[in-house]
């Protein structure tokens, strides 16, 4: 079958979007479309410019025999702020207020459109952090972790509170929960990670950071490196955080149960919290 | 800015892929690209044909004032079988065997590329089942549920074994675990679902089907309808399943701990298990 340029553009766009952060040799495309490399290069130039103009991401060309092209999902700061504003508005609705000053946000974590946008924001921020894997803790961190993982194209490992027979042999550590000061346990399957990997730790909510700190300690047991810490919602200012250098999407400034008001502000992600 | 056809094709492809099962009025495109509807229609014809030729999916045109275009992810039977074969080979590796005849598959559930392909297979099968939401149970079903949800563009609701303060008020039911015959509890946040929704129930593993049956009962408490049941790995033939009409991806035919062999066969999904 002979492919027209217009058809190649549609199919190559799909092909690249499905394989973020993956180096694709140009021969892959010339084989699929039975086209000369020069035509493929011209196609890629069009895709590259359109992706950049629309804030879809970058198309990075790696020259040489082992070279090819790589799609890096990257949003503009403006688009990231828009996603954040939408999320803040949604999260500030007073009917989210639960007894004890907690916020209901399970519906947002279960919404693939919302999570996908937020995943792309974090993948933008950590695009250059050489992330090999994403670590989170069951249960609510999982959709957030997978949303980022899809755009970074790396696996997710899930830490649990209890050991399961389906996990095989595990490594278990004790840690001190930041808020309640209780000793807790977290467990990770031994096969989950190889030593030397760079790991992004993520969770949907962080208060003092005890759980995050526990995951950091778990990394050491696996001889892995910390690539960064990502938090969806950070609790109102806490005197002493147990972790530093995290990137938060939004911050819960104040929750007033009496007036039923929720005040949410930007996290440190957009104006660039420091990366490690 | 004036858009060329080639640029429109790249951007429209991205736009459609990000919004599966969503009706997009043509005016959306003519506004974005400042182009006549006739040009947009021609673009869509090119995208439609390329998507169909490459097994990306269908582009359905809805005529009339309230009309537009809708992208339905659909894989060919051939592509679905390929994904299934890959998964079966991977899952049959003898080092996956755990004491007690269990299989280690956490790494596959954590791999976004693997899950994305499998999610598309199930989204293809349930594309016409009018699914409003996907229900699963914590923890391991979550990535599988989200992988399907992304292609059907519907929310995921997660049933838990225990009630959490961050879930608000909950509905709790008791059910009999199929294998152990023990009474267990499952809990779902009241806000998770509205009555009348059509729900696809999914889990990563099914033996007798006690958990699936529990989720079915939970649906009734919410006055929701069953749209289907999806299982990633089905255990070797069980005399009496508690649920019928499920779609399984693969079936664990035999696990031999002594010889360390695992025999995995196709589930009923590809050659079409009955839908409800």
């Amino acid at each position: 079958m002979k492919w027209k340029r217009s058809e190649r553009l549609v199919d190559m766009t799909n092909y690249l979007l499905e394989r973020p952060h993956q180096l694709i040799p140009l021969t892959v495309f010339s084989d699929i479309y039975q086209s000369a490399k020069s035509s493929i290069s011209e196609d890629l130039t069009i895709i590259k410019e359109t992706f950049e103009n629309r804030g879809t991401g970058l198309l990075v060309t790696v020259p040489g025999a082992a070279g090819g092209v790589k799609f890096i999902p990257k949003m503009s700061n403006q688009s990231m702020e828009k996603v954040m504003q939408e999320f803040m508005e949604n999260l500030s609705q007073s009917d989210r207020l639960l007894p004890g000053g907690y916020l209901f946000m399970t519906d947002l974590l279960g919404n693939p459109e919302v999570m996908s946008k937020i995943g792309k924001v974090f993948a933008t921020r950590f695009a250059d952090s050489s992330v090999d894997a994403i670590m989170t803790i069951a249960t609510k961190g999982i959709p957030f972790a997978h949303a980022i993982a899809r755009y970074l194209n790396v696996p997710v490992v899930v830490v649990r509170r209890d050991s399961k027979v389906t996990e095989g042999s595990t490594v278990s550590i004790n840690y001190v929960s930041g808020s309640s000061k209780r000793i807790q346990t977290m467990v990770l399957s031994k096969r989950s990670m190889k030593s030397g990997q760079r790991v992004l730790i993520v969770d949907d909510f962080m208060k003092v950071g005890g759980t995050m700190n526990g995951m950091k300690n778990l990394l050491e047991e696996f001889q892995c490196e910390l690539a960064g810490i990502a938090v969806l919602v950070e609790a109102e200012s806490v005197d002493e955080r147990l972790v530093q250098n995290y990137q938060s999407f939004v911050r819960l400034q104040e929750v007033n149960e009496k007036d039923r008001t929720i005040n949410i502000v930007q996290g440190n992600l957009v104006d660039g919290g420091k990366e490690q």
Side-chain angles (χ1 to χ4, degrees), chain A residues 149-175:
Chain A
R150 183 187 140 205
Y151 286 107
L152 289 180
N153 209 352
V154 296
V156 173
V157 301
V158 178
V159 177
R160 306 178 61 111
R161 308 239 177 236
D162 54 339
S163 182
K164 275 259 183 181
V165 58
T166 48
E167 299 293 306
S169 41
T170 54
V171 174
S172 151
I173 64 158
N174 294 316
Y175 69 102

Side-chain angles (χ1 to χ4, degrees), chain A residues 82-94:
Chain A
K82 203 181 143 217
V83 175
M84 191 186 274
Q85 289 301 335
E86 275 176 20
F87 187 72
M88 278 162 51
E89 268 169 44
N90 198 328
L91 207 58
S92 317
Q93 288 159 5
S94 62

Side-chain angles (χ1 to χ4, degrees), chain A residues 5-163:
Chain A
R5 159 144 300 152
S6 55
E7 294 163 343
R8 288 199 309 262
L9 286 173
V10 169
D11 198 57
M12 281 168 86
T13 299
N14 180 26
Y15 194 97
L16 290 161
L17 290 172
E18 279 188 347
R19 292 161 183 81
H21 284 270
Q22 190 176 316
L23 187 69
I24 301 156
L26 295 200
T27 45
V28 167
F29 292 125
S30 49
D31 287 353
I32 296 176
Y33 309 118
Q34 298 291 307
S35 306
K37 274 202 191 177
S38 56
S39 309
I40 299 293
S41 288
E42 285 167 32
D43 298 342
L44 288 170
T45 304
I46 296 168
I47 297 175
K48 181 186 166 76
E49 281 169 8
T50 311
F51 276 11
E52 282 173 14
N53 286 337
R54 286 285 281 171
T56 305
L58 305 178
L59 220 55
V60 179
T61 312
V62 180
V69 66
K70 204 192 263 189
F71 164 56
I72 314 286
K74 277 212 174 167
M75 287 169 98
S76 64
N77 277 333
Q78 200 193 340
S79 307
M80 292 205 283
E81 288 215 36
K82 203 181 143 217
V83 175
M84 191 186 274
Q85 289 301 335
E86 275 176 20
F87 187 72
M88 278 162 51
E89 268 169 44
N90 198 328
L91 207 58
S92 317
Q93 288 159 5
S94 62
D95 61 354
R96 295 197 171 274
L97 209 53
L98 297 174
Y102 290 94
L103 278 195
F104 183 79
M105 50 184 253
T106 309
D107 59 327
L108 297 170
L109 293 168
N111 185 316
E113 219 178 318
V114 171
M115 289 321 290
S116 184
K117 284 180 192 166
I118 295 175
K120 198 172 174 190
V121 169
F122 278 92
T124 299
R125 181 56 74 209
F126 291 102
D128 306 316
S129 302
S130 312
V131 176
D132 298 311
I134 296 181
M135 179 190 270
T136 190
I137 191 156
T139 305
K140 292 204 306 182
I142 300 174
F144 178 46
H146 271 271
I148 306 173
R150 183 187 140 205
Y151 286 107
L152 289 180
N153 209 352
V154 296
V156 173
V157 301
V158 178
V159 177
R160 306 178 61 111
R161 308 239 177 236
D162 54 339
S163 182

Side-chain angles (χ1 to χ4, degrees), chain A residues 205-274:
Chain A
F205 190 75
M206 181 174 88
K207 214 164 178 177
V208 183
T211 307
M212 288 292 195
N213 205 31
M215 287 197 271
K216 254 179 85 174
N217 293 339
L218 199 51
L219 277 194
E220 286 166 26
E221 293 294 328
F222 281 81
Q223 292 166 306
C224 286
E225 267 176 65
L226 184 66
I229 297 176
V231 181
L232 186 59
V233 179
E234 168 188 8
E236 51 193 320
S237 7
V238 171
D239 286 342
E240 216 181 337
R241 296 254 191 234
L242 292 171
V243 289
Q244 277 80 40
N245 296 331
Y246 56 88
Q247 304 260 307
S248 65
F249 194 52
V250 301
R251 177 194 282 249
L252 209 56
Q253 193 72 6
E254 206 198 335
V255 175
N256 189 320
E257 278 194 84
K258 207 172 127 230
D259 302 343
R260 297 194 67 77
T261 52
I262 303 164
N263 183 15
I264 291 171
V265 297
Q266 291 198 350
N268 65 6
L269 180 133
V270 161
D271 36 86
K274 266 183 287 175

